[in-house]
Amino acid sequence: MTTGTLFDIQSYAVHDGPGIRTLVFMKGCPLACAWCCNPESQAFRVELRQVPERCLACLRCVEACPEQAMTAIHGVPVPDRAVCATCATLACTAACPGGALVAVGRPVRAEAVVEEVARDADFFRHSGGGVTFSGGEPFAQPAFLEALLRGCRERGIATAVETCGHVPLRDLQACEPLVDLFLYDLKALDPAKHLALTGQDNTLILANLRWLAAHAPAKVVIRHAVIPGLNDDASDHEALADLMLSLGLERLDLEPYHPLGEPKYEGLGRRLTCAPDARLLDEARLAVLVATFNGRGLSCEVA
Ligand code: SF4
Ligand code: SF4
């Protein structure tokens, strides 16, 4: 029995692979991208999220916390995040009548996830879709991911994995035969810039991409999050096109930054460490980027 930690499963998605897809979001990531729009995916552990607009100010959470980590300040519950980070029970969430305290993430068996995904099999069949494992970083839970992929393969469900590539090569190699499509994220080509933006340099990411391009190029779509002011100057994009052409990879998805993830930071007791201006990525600018990449001989789309 293989278990892992998810933070969401979403049906009827139309991005992240062909056809209608079920997205399985796995918890934990080896990178810490400054602009991450899914901050709840970054930590491996189950986390406490506050939703202040649902709070009834009943203060039951203060009584329920076995660690005395929840304090009422001017009638509003305020958690001690240092204590909550090691909390095993998240007892406050069960005591909250308003749904204002939410446990983000749940441990689950691989078989149960495959069962849930398989409920959408008719949609997959009629649309040419399947399941996409995303996150977080799916390969950061390698045994769990392999069990999920194997279970989907046994049921004839097409599979895609979105990966940041900062994973042991042996895990990529073990799963490659079970994956129909890799959505391979490249944040920046310059190692120093990559380190500054994500907390890791890209040596391992590029080495793994070279292996994948040599062994299964038809399975690879490169994904590039375009973050205004951080990784979107002309030299960034020239380097990306050069790399793809040198590896024989043609398909590129651009993912423009959007600010929808920004409010999640506060609920998790964190701060967004950068402030990209999404208005700089209007349709005209995106059209220019797409045309530039297509002009280099790539097949580029906005995801
Ligand atoms: S997450 Fe745990 S430690 Fe934090 S307030 Fe809730 S019960 Fe207390
Ligand atoms: S238990 Fe929930 S609704 Fe009541 S004060 Fe705490 S967070 Fe607010």
Side-chain angles (χ1 to χ4, degrees), residues 175-235:
C175 289
E176 184 274 321
L178 301 168
V179 178
D180 297 305
L181 182 69
F182 287 91
L183 302 170
Y184 203 99
D185 295 339
L186 288 180
K187 325 284 186 185
L189 272 288
D190 176 70
K193 185 179 269 194
H194 198 282
L195 177 64
L197 294 178
T198 73
Q200 301 284 349
D201 83 14
N202 56 9
T203 308
L204 179 60
I205 294 167
L206 296 180
N208 287 342
L209 180 61
R210 283 188 201 98
W211 182 86
L212 210 47
H215 289 84
K219 291 185 181 182
V220 180
V221 173
I222 298 295
R223 293 203 135 183
H224 176 59
V226 186
I227 315 300
L230 296 188
N231 68 353
D232 67 334
D233 63 34
S235 63

Side-chain angles (χ1 to χ4, degrees), residues 89-155:
T89 65
L90 273 73
C92 58
T93 61
C96 177
L101 299 171
V102 181
V104 181
R106 59 184 163 112
V108 61
R109 289 182 302 111
E111 293 86 343
V113 178
V114 173
E115 197 70 41
E116 187 168 341
V117 168
R119 286 182 209 140
D120 295 336
D122 284 346
F123 295 103
F124 304 154
R125 232 184 333 271
H126 289 112
S127 69
V131 63
T132 299
F133 297 102
S134 184
E137 170 51 57
F139 281 104
Q141 301 184 61
F144 184 47
L145 177 63
E146 189 171 345
L148 292 169
L149 291 167
R150 207 169 286 287
C152 290
R153 178 58 57 94
E154 284 165 5
R155 289 171 179 254

Side-chain angles (χ1 to χ4, degrees), residues 55-61 77 96-97 100-101:
C55 181
L56 308 171
C58 67
L59 300 182
R60 287 186 200 169
C61 50
C96 177
L101 299 171

Side-chain angles (χ1 to χ4, degrees), residues 3 36 78 90 147 165 226:
T3 62
C36 182
V78 179
L90 273 73
V226 186

